[in-house]
Amino acid sequence: MIRRRSEEGAALLTVLLLVSVMAILAAAALERMKLATHLTSNGAAIEQARAYAMAAETVARYRIGDLIQRDAAKTTLEGDWAGKPANFPIDGGIATARLDDGGNCFNLNSLVDKASDGVLTARPVAINQFARLMTLLEIPGRDALAIANAAADWIDTDGVPIPGGAEDGAYGTGPTARRTANTLMSDVSELRVVAGMTGAYYTRVRPYICALPITDLTTINVNTLRLDQAPLLSMLLPDLDPARATQAIDARPLRGWESLSTFWNLPPLTATPPTDDTRGQIKLTTRWFDLAITVELADAEFEEHALIDAALKPAKLARRSYGEPS
């Protein structure tokens, strides 16, 4: 059979086209295999990093136990443990852990009081303290009080707004409609969506707040309070300005105060006697500890934040989260 030259050219073109398609498919398959291999390797590294982070949790809990056993009557900065990163070499990488006092902050969940039947009701004393903290951070007083009331309504059980507060009706319109949580905050980032809160306000207040898993009024350990945390002390004493609060913190002995009476007799504080509620909010011991862990392993980086409860014996993990804090 005699084939025309045009037919031979068409056959050659078809073969070349098939070869090209097969080459593309082969390249895609190889790329998928490479990606799958990378993901498997990365996943294994993440799991290994997670295991190292859990080991760091155990070490931290024992370290906290040692701090408490050293002197159960007070928790101080002795030993240079607070806020100082500790590096631990590991196979193929490095782990870094940093331990801090996790109770020197305004507890957002203290905005409500929890009854024996579990019902959460707004707590005026905590609302006023939160509003004062925000005004100390240069948030306008009217906005500060509105945010504090709205945050209490976000948490409390009922659907009736307190005066100046905000319940479901305040969140039902706009591009992102939502309902109030009516339960304790699990993370401080929830404050972002509370009525009246802005990005700028949140940035100012974020370093001074926390969401502990209890509704107790905020307690401050003056033996571990940093100078930059002076607004927390002023928050509890309405007549104490941040400058005198800083003086009081700066007057702390190297080994901490031995008694609260010594602290209250400091010159900056004698003119601002505490109320019964406030007196109980100042402590010499720490119950909550923050643990930040970063693990760098191979091409993976793993970050964990843990909250440790030292009221339990031995100290127990109360909560953990992964990724950068919000």
Side-chain angles (χ1 to χ4, degrees), residues 279-297:
R279 187 177 293 274
Q281 291 180 260
I282 300 296
K283 303 287 186 181
L284 297 180
T285 57
T286 293
R287 172 180 177 179
W288 302 98
F289 291 84
D290 269 327
L291 176 65
I293 305 168
T294 302
V295 180
E296 297 178 15
L297 187 64

mmCIF file with all atom_site columns, all heavy atoms in Angstrom, residues 279-297:
data_model
loop_
_atom_site.group_PDB
_atom_site.id
_atom_site.type_symbol
_atom_site.label_atom_id
_atom_site.label_alt_id
_atom_site.label_comp_id
_atom_site.label_asym_id
_atom_site.label_entity_id
_atom_site.label_seq_id
_atom_site.pdbx_PDB_ins_code
_atom_site.Cartn_x
_atom_site.Cartn_y
_atom_site.Cartn_z
_atom_site.occupancy
_atom_site.B_iso_or_equiv
_atom_site.pdbx_formal_charge
_atom_site.auth_seq_id
_atom_site.auth_comp_id
_atom_site.auth_asym_id
_atom_site.auth_atom_id
_atom_site.pdbx_PDB_model_num
ATOM 1   N N   . ARG A 1 279 ? -8.021  44.206 98.466  1.00 0.00 ? 279 ARG A N   1
ATOM 2   C CA  . ARG A 1 279 ? -7.017  43.615 99.350  1.00 0.00 ? 279 ARG A CA  1
ATOM 3   C C   . ARG A 1 279 ? -6.856  42.125 99.063  1.00 0.00 ? 279 ARG A C   1
ATOM 4   O O   . ARG A 1 279 ? -5.740  41.596 99.087  1.00 0.00 ? 279 ARG A O   1
ATOM 5   C CB  . ARG A 1 279 ? -7.411  43.841 100.815 1.00 0.00 ? 279 ARG A CB  1
ATOM 6   C CG  . ARG A 1 279 ? -6.342  43.416 101.805 1.00 0.00 ? 279 ARG A CG  1
ATOM 7   C CD  . ARG A 1 279 ? -6.766  43.733 103.227 1.00 0.00 ? 279 ARG A CD  1
ATOM 8   N NE  . ARG A 1 279 ? -6.829  45.165 103.462 1.00 0.00 ? 279 ARG A NE  1
ATOM 9   C CZ  . ARG A 1 279 ? -5.779  45.898 103.822 1.00 0.00 ? 279 ARG A CZ  1
ATOM 10  N NH1 . ARG A 1 279 ? -4.588  45.328 103.956 1.00 0.00 ? 279 ARG A NH1 1
ATOM 11  N NH2 . ARG A 1 279 ? -5.920  47.190 104.033 1.00 0.00 ? 279 ARG A NH2 1
ATOM 12  N N   . GLY A 1 280 ? -7.943  41.453 98.766  1.00 0.00 ? 280 GLY A N   1
ATOM 13  C CA  . GLY A 1 280 ? -7.867  40.022 98.473  1.00 0.00 ? 280 GLY A CA  1
ATOM 14  C C   . GLY A 1 280 ? -7.324  39.716 97.092  1.00 0.00 ? 280 GLY A C   1
ATOM 15  O O   . GLY A 1 280 ? -7.000  38.565 96.788  1.00 0.00 ? 280 GLY A O   1
ATOM 16  N N   . GLN A 1 281 ? -7.206  40.733 96.231  1.00 0.00 ? 281 GLN A N   1
ATOM 17  C CA  . GLN A 1 281 ? -6.713  40.522 94.876  1.00 0.00 ? 281 GLN A CA  1
ATOM 18  C C   . GLN A 1 281 ? -5.198  40.683 94.771  1.00 0.00 ? 281 GLN A C   1
ATOM 19  O O   . GLN A 1 281 ? -4.632  40.406 93.712  1.00 0.00 ? 281 GLN A O   1
ATOM 20  C CB  . GLN A 1 281 ? -7.408  41.482 93.901  1.00 0.00 ? 281 GLN A CB  1
ATOM 21  C CG  . GLN A 1 281 ? -8.883  41.162 93.686  1.00 0.00 ? 281 GLN A CG  1
ATOM 22  C CD  . GLN A 1 281 ? -9.545  42.134 92.726  1.00 0.00 ? 281 GLN A CD  1
ATOM 23  O OE1 . GLN A 1 281 ? -10.232 43.062 93.128  1.00 0.00 ? 281 GLN A OE1 1
ATOM 24  N NE2 . GLN A 1 281 ? -9.342  41.912 91.444  1.00 0.00 ? 281 GLN A NE2 1
ATOM 25  N N   . ILE A 1 282 ? -4.562  41.142 95.820  1.00 0.00 ? 282 ILE A N   1
ATOM 26  C CA  . ILE A 1 282 ? -3.112  41.275 95.840  1.00 0.00 ? 282 ILE A CA  1
ATOM 27  C C   . ILE A 1 282 ? -2.527  40.063 96.560  1.00 0.00 ? 282 ILE A C   1
ATOM 28  O O   . ILE A 1 282 ? -2.906  39.753 97.690  1.00 0.00 ? 282 ILE A O   1
ATOM 29  C CB  . ILE A 1 282 ? -2.674  42.574 96.548  1.00 0.00 ? 282 ILE A CB  1
ATOM 30  C CG1 . ILE A 1 282 ? -3.254  43.787 95.819  1.00 0.00 ? 282 ILE A CG1 1
ATOM 31  C CG2 . ILE A 1 282 ? -1.161  42.658 96.623  1.00 0.00 ? 282 ILE A CG2 1
ATOM 32  C CD1 . ILE A 1 282 ? -2.752  43.963 94.415  1.00 0.00 ? 282 ILE A CD1 1
ATOM 33  N N   . LYS A 1 283 ? -1.610  39.370 95.914  1.00 0.00 ? 283 LYS A N   1
ATOM 34  C CA  . LYS A 1 283 ? -1.043  38.138 96.453  1.00 0.00 ? 283 LYS A CA  1
ATOM 35  C C   . LYS A 1 283 ? 0.481   38.194 96.440  1.00 0.00 ? 283 LYS A C   1
ATOM 36  O O   . LYS A 1 283 ? 1.096   39.051 95.800  1.00 0.00 ? 283 LYS A O   1
ATOM 37  C CB  . LYS A 1 283 ? -1.507  36.938 95.616  1.00 0.00 ? 283 LYS A CB  1
ATOM 38  C CG  . LYS A 1 283 ? -3.014  36.763 95.516  1.00 0.00 ? 283 LYS A CG  1
ATOM 39  C CD  . LYS A 1 283 ? -3.614  36.260 96.803  1.00 0.00 ? 283 LYS A CD  1
ATOM 40  C CE  . LYS A 1 283 ? -5.092  35.958 96.638  1.00 0.00 ? 283 LYS A CE  1
ATOM 41  N NZ  . LYS A 1 283 ? -5.711  35.493 97.908  1.00 0.00 ? 283 LYS A NZ  1
ATOM 42  N N   . LEU A 1 284 ? 1.068   37.229 97.143  1.00 0.00 ? 284 LEU A N   1
ATOM 43  C CA  . LEU A 1 284 ? 2.525   37.045 97.109  1.00 0.00 ? 284 LEU A CA  1
ATOM 44  C C   . LEU A 1 284 ? 2.893   35.749 96.399  1.00 0.00 ? 284 LEU A C   1
ATOM 45  O O   . LEU A 1 284 ? 4.071   35.416 96.278  1.00 0.00 ? 284 LEU A O   1
ATOM 46  C CB  . LEU A 1 284 ? 3.091   37.012 98.535  1.00 0.00 ? 284 LEU A CB  1
ATOM 47  C CG  . LEU A 1 284 ? 2.920   38.281 99.379  1.00 0.00 ? 284 LEU A CG  1
ATOM 48  C CD1 . LEU A 1 284 ? 3.548   38.083 100.762 1.00 0.00 ? 284 LEU A CD1 1
ATOM 49  C CD2 . LEU A 1 284 ? 3.533   39.486 98.691  1.00 0.00 ? 284 LEU A CD2 1
ATOM 50  N N   . THR A 1 285 ? 1.883   35.016 95.941  1.00 0.00 ? 285 THR A N   1
ATOM 51  C CA  . THR A 1 285 ? 2.110   33.729 95.283  1.00 0.00 ? 285 THR A CA  1
ATOM 52  C C   . THR A 1 285 ? 1.470   33.728 93.892  1.00 0.00 ? 285 THR A C   1
ATOM 53  O O   . THR A 1 285 ? 0.610   34.555 93.588  1.00 0.00 ? 285 THR A O   1
ATOM 54  C CB  . THR A 1 285 ? 1.522   32.570 96.104  1.00 0.00 ? 285 THR A CB  1
ATOM 55  O OG1 . THR A 1 285 ? 0.115   32.807 96.300  1.00 0.00 ? 285 THR A OG1 1
ATOM 56  C CG2 . THR A 1 285 ? 2.209   32.456 97.445  1.00 0.00 ? 285 THR A CG2 1
ATOM 57  N N   . THR A 1 286 ? 1.892   32.782 93.081  1.00 0.00 ? 286 THR A N   1
ATOM 58  C CA  . THR A 1 286 ? 1.373   32.639 91.718  1.00 0.00 ? 286 THR A CA  1
ATOM 59  C C   . THR A 1 286 ? 0.723   31.275 91.558  1.00 0.00 ? 286 THR A C   1
ATOM 60  O O   . THR A 1 286 ? 1.288   30.264 91.973  1.00 0.00 ? 286 THR A O   1
ATOM 61  C CB  . THR A 1 286 ? 2.509   32.790 90.686  1.00 0.00 ? 286 THR A CB  1
ATOM 62  O OG1 . THR A 1 286 ? 2.988   34.134 90.718  1.00 0.00 ? 286 THR A OG1 1
ATOM 63  C CG2 . THR A 1 286 ? 2.038   32.469 89.273  1.00 0.00 ? 286 THR A CG2 1
ATOM 64  N N   . ARG A 1 287 ? -0.477  31.273 90.979  1.00 0.00 ? 287 ARG A N   1
ATOM 65  C CA  . ARG A 1 287 ? -1.157  30.005 90.697  1.00 0.00 ? 287 ARG A CA  1
ATOM 66  C C   . ARG A 1 287 ? -0.982  29.602 89.236  1.00 0.00 ? 287 ARG A C   1
ATOM 67  O O   . ARG A 1 287 ? -0.751  28.429 88.935  1.00 0.00 ? 287 ARG A O   1
ATOM 68  C CB  . ARG A 1 287 ? -2.649  30.117 91.000  1.00 0.00 ? 287 ARG A CB  1
ATOM 69  C CG  . ARG A 1 287 ? -3.435  28.881 90.543  1.00 0.00 ? 287 ARG A CG  1
ATOM 70  C CD  . ARG A 1 287 ? -4.911  28.980 90.830  1.00 0.00 ? 287 ARG A CD  1
ATOM 71  N NE  . ARG A 1 287 ? -5.609  27.808 90.322  1.00 0.00 ? 287 ARG A NE  1
ATOM 72  C CZ  . ARG A 1 287 ? -6.920  27.588 90.433  1.00 0.00 ? 287 ARG A CZ  1
ATOM 73  N NH1 . ARG A 1 287 ? -7.673  28.490 91.051  1.00 0.00 ? 287 ARG A NH1 1
ATOM 74  N NH2 . ARG A 1 287 ? -7.469  26.493 89.924  1.00 0.00 ? 287 ARG A NH2 1
ATOM 75  N N   . TRP A 1 288 ? -1.072  30.560 88.311  1.00 0.00 ? 288 TRP A N   1
ATOM 76  C CA  . TRP A 1 288 ? -1.074  30.256 86.877  1.00 0.00 ? 288 TRP A CA  1
ATOM 77  C C   . TRP A 1 288 ? 0.257   30.612 86.242  1.00 0.00 ? 288 TRP A C   1
ATOM 78  O O   . TRP A 1 288 ? 0.808   31.678 86.491  1.00 0.00 ? 288 TRP A O   1
ATOM 79  C CB  . TRP A 1 288 ? -2.195  31.022 86.180  1.00 0.00 ? 288 TRP A CB  1
ATOM 80  C CG  . TRP A 1 288 ? -3.546  30.724 86.747  1.00 0.00 ? 288 TRP A CG  1
ATOM 81  C CD1 . TRP A 1 288 ? -4.228  31.465 87.667  1.00 0.00 ? 288 TRP A CD1 1
ATOM 82  C CD2 . TRP A 1 288 ? -4.373  29.590 86.461  1.00 0.00 ? 288 TRP A CD2 1
ATOM 83  N NE1 . TRP A 1 288 ? -5.419  30.873 87.961  1.00 0.00 ? 288 TRP A NE1 1
ATOM 84  C CE2 . TRP A 1 288 ? -5.543  29.721 87.244  1.00 0.00 ? 288 TRP A CE2 1
ATOM 85  C CE3 . TRP A 1 288 ? -4.238  28.487 85.618  1.00 0.00 ? 288 TRP A CE3 1
ATOM 86  C CZ2 . TRP A 1 288 ? -6.571  28.784 87.193  1.00 0.00 ? 288 TRP A CZ2 1
ATOM 87  C CZ3 . TRP A 1 288 ? -5.262  27.558 85.582  1.00 0.00 ? 288 TRP A CZ3 1
ATOM 88  C CH2 . TRP A 1 288 ? -6.405  27.706 86.352  1.00 0.00 ? 288 TRP A CH2 1
ATOM 89  N N   . PHE A 1 289 ? 0.757   29.729 85.419  1.00 0.00 ? 289 PHE A N   1
ATOM 90  C CA  . PHE A 1 289 ? 2.020   29.945 84.711  1.00 0.00 ? 289 PHE A CA  1
ATOM 91  C C   . PHE A 1 289 ? 1.800   29.765 83.211  1.00 0.00 ? 289 PHE A C   1
ATOM 92  O O   . PHE A 1 289 ? 1.101   28.838 82.779  1.00 0.00 ? 289 PHE A O   1
ATOM 93  C CB  . PHE A 1 289 ? 3.091   28.960 85.187  1.00 0.00 ? 289 PHE A CB  1
ATOM 94  C CG  . PHE A 1 289 ? 3.570   29.199 86.589  1.00 0.00 ? 289 PHE A CG  1
ATOM 95  C CD1 . PHE A 1 289 ? 2.868   28.697 87.674  1.00 0.00 ? 289 PHE A CD1 1
ATOM 96  C CD2 . PHE A 1 289 ? 4.721   29.937 86.824  1.00 0.00 ? 289 PHE A CD2 1
ATOM 97  C CE1 . PHE A 1 289 ? 3.295   28.915 88.973  1.00 0.00 ? 289 PHE A CE1 1
ATOM 98  C CE2 . PHE A 1 289 ? 5.161   30.167 88.121  1.00 0.00 ? 289 PHE A CE2 1
ATOM 99  C CZ  . PHE A 1 289 ? 4.452   29.656 89.201  1.00 0.00 ? 289 PHE A CZ  1
ATOM 100 N N   . ASP A 1 290 ? 2.399   30.665 82.435  1.00 0.00 ? 290 ASP A N   1
ATOM 101 C CA  . ASP A 1 290 ? 2.368   30.567 80.970  1.00 0.00 ? 290 ASP A CA  1
ATOM 102 C C   . ASP A 1 290 ? 3.653   29.929 80.483  1.00 0.00 ? 290 ASP A C   1
ATOM 103 O O   . ASP A 1 290 ? 4.748   30.323 80.906  1.00 0.00 ? 290 ASP A O   1
ATOM 104 C CB  . ASP A 1 290 ? 2.237   31.956 80.344  1.00 0.00 ? 290 ASP A CB  1
ATOM 105 C CG  . ASP A 1 290 ? 0.792   32.355 80.129  1.00 0.00 ? 290 ASP A CG  1
ATOM 106 O OD1 . ASP A 1 290 ? -0.036  31.470 79.859  1.00 0.00 ? 290 ASP A OD1 1
ATOM 107 O OD2 . ASP A 1 290 ? 0.497   33.557 80.242  1.00 0.00 ? 290 ASP A OD2 1
ATOM 108 N N   . LEU A 1 291 ? 3.531   28.989 79.575  1.00 0.00 ? 291 LEU A N   1
ATOM 109 C CA  . LEU A 1 291 ? 4.689   28.330 78.984  1.00 0.00 ? 291 LEU A CA  1
ATOM 110 C C   . LEU A 1 291 ? 4.620   28.483 77.474  1.00 0.00 ? 291 LEU A C   1
ATOM 111 O O   . LEU A 1 291 ? 3.640   28.082 76.841  1.00 0.00 ? 291 LEU A O   1
ATOM 112 C CB  . LEU A 1 291 ? 4.717   26.845 79.359  1.00 0.00 ? 291 LEU A CB  1
ATOM 113 C CG  . LEU A 1 291 ? 5.824   26.004 78.722  1.00 0.00 ? 291 LEU A CG  1
ATOM 114 C CD1 . LEU A 1 291 ? 7.195   26.468 79.198  1.00 0.00 ? 291 LEU A CD1 1
ATOM 115 C CD2 . LEU A 1 291 ? 5.619   24.519 79.043  1.00 0.00 ? 291 LEU A CD2 1
ATOM 116 N N   . ALA A 1 292 ? 5.640   29.101 76.889  1.00 0.00 ? 292 ALA A N   1
ATOM 117 C CA  . ALA A 1 292 ? 5.731   29.246 75.432  1.00 0.00 ? 292 ALA A CA  1
ATOM 118 C C   . ALA A 1 292 ? 6.861   28.358 74.928  1.00 0.00 ? 292 ALA A C   1
ATOM 119 O O   . ALA A 1 292 ? 7.990   28.440 75.428  1.00 0.00 ? 292 ALA A O   1
ATOM 120 C CB  . ALA A 1 292 ? 5.988   30.698 75.054  1.00 0.00 ? 292 ALA A CB  1
ATOM 121 N N   . ILE A 1 293 ? 6.561   27.504 73.959  1.00 0.00 ? 293 ILE A N   1
ATOM 122 C CA  . ILE A 1 293 ? 7.538   26.541 73.437  1.00 0.00 ? 293 ILE A CA  1
ATOM 123 C C   . ILE A 1 293 ? 7.640   26.694 71.927  1.00 0.00 ? 293 ILE A C   1
ATOM 124 O O   . ILE A 1 293 ? 6.627   26.751 71.229  1.00 0.00 ? 293 ILE A O   1
ATOM 125 C CB  . ILE A 1 293 ? 7.117   25.088 73.760  1.00 0.00 ? 293 ILE A CB  1
ATOM 126 C CG1 . ILE A 1 293 ? 6.880   24.912 75.258  1.00 0.00 ? 293 ILE A CG1 1
ATOM 127 C CG2 . ILE A 1 293 ? 8.161   24.100 73.264  1.00 0.00 ? 293 ILE A CG2 1
ATOM 128 C CD1 . ILE A 1 293 ? 6.188   23.608 75.604  1.00 0.00 ? 293 ILE A CD1 1
ATOM 129 N N   . THR A 1 294 ? 8.865   26.765 71.429  1.00 0.00 ? 294 THR A N   1
ATOM 130 C CA  . THR A 1 294 ? 9.115   26.772 69.989  1.00 0.00 ? 294 THR A CA  1
ATOM 131 C C   . THR A 1 294 ? 10.098  25.655 69.667  1.00 0.00 ? 294 THR A C   1
ATOM 132 O O   . THR A 1 294 ? 11.155  25.555 70.308  1.00 0.00 ? 294 THR A O   1
ATOM 133 C CB  . THR A 1 294 ? 9.699   28.111 69.514  1.00 0.00 ? 294 THR A CB  1
ATOM 134 O OG1 . THR A 1 294 ? 8.792   29.165 69.853  1.00 0.00 ? 294 THR A OG1 1
ATOM 135 C CG2 . THR A 1 294 ? 9.917   28.098 68.014  1.00 0.00 ? 294 THR A CG2 1
ATOM 136 N N   . VAL A 1 295 ? 9.747   24.821 68.704  1.00 0.00 ? 295 VAL A N   1
ATOM 137 C CA  . VAL A 1 295 ? 10.611  23.713 68.292  1.00 0.00 ? 295 VAL A CA  1
ATOM 138 C C   . VAL A 1 295 ? 10.931  23.882 66.815  1.00 0.00 ? 295 VAL A C   1
ATOM 139 O O   . VAL A 1 295 ? 10.022  23.960 65.982  1.00 0.00 ? 295 VAL A O   1
ATOM 140 C CB  . VAL A 1 295 ? 9.940   22.347 68.541  1.00 0.00 ? 295 VAL A CB  1
ATOM 141 C CG1 . VAL A 1 295 ? 10.882  21.218 68.087  1.00 0.00 ? 295 VAL A CG1 1
ATOM 142 C CG2 . VAL A 1 295 ? 9.581   22.171 70.008  1.00 0.00 ? 295 VAL A CG2 1
ATOM 143 N N   . GLU A 1 296 ? 12.216  23.970 66.496  1.00 0.00 ? 296 GLU A N   1
ATOM 144 C CA  . GLU A 1 296 ? 12.670  24.029 65.110  1.00 0.00 ? 296 GLU A CA  1
ATOM 145 C C   . GLU A 1 296 ? 13.352  22.705 64.791  1.00 0.00 ? 296 GLU A C   1
ATOM 146 O O   . GLU A 1 296 ? 14.376  22.365 65.376  1.00 0.00 ? 296 GLU A O   1
ATOM 147 C CB  . GLU A 1 296 ? 13.637  25.192 64.911  1.00 0.00 ? 296 GLU A CB  1
ATOM 148 C CG  . GLU A 1 296 ? 12.996  26.557 65.160  1.00 0.00 ? 296 GLU A CG  1
ATOM 149 C CD  . GLU A 1 296 ? 13.978  27.696 65.003  1.00 0.00 ? 296 GLU A CD  1
ATOM 150 O OE1 . GLU A 1 296 ? 15.066  27.451 64.436  1.00 0.00 ? 296 GLU A OE1 1
ATOM 151 O OE2 . GLU A 1 296 ? 13.665  28.815 65.447  1.00 0.00 ? 296 GLU A OE2 1
ATOM 152 N N   . LEU A 1 297 ? 12.737  21.987 63.846  1.00 0.00 ? 297 LEU A N   1
ATOM 153 C CA  . LEU A 1 297 ? 13.215  20.638 63.538  1.00 0.00 ? 297 LEU A CA  1
ATOM 154 C C   . LEU A 1 297 ? 13.163  20.434 62.032  1.00 0.00 ? 297 LEU A C   1
ATOM 155 O O   . LEU A 1 297 ? 12.089  20.534 61.427  1.00 0.00 ? 297 LEU A O   1
ATOM 156 C CB  . LEU A 1 297 ? 12.336  19.604 64.247  1.00 0.00 ? 297 LEU A CB  1
ATOM 157 C CG  . LEU A 1 297 ? 12.777  18.148 64.183  1.00 0.00 ? 297 LEU A CG  1
ATOM 158 C CD1 . LEU A 1 297 ? 14.109  17.953 64.904  1.00 0.00 ? 297 LEU A CD1 1
ATOM 159 C CD2 . LEU A 1 297 ? 11.712  17.247 64.816  1.00 0.00 ? 297 LEU A CD2 1
#
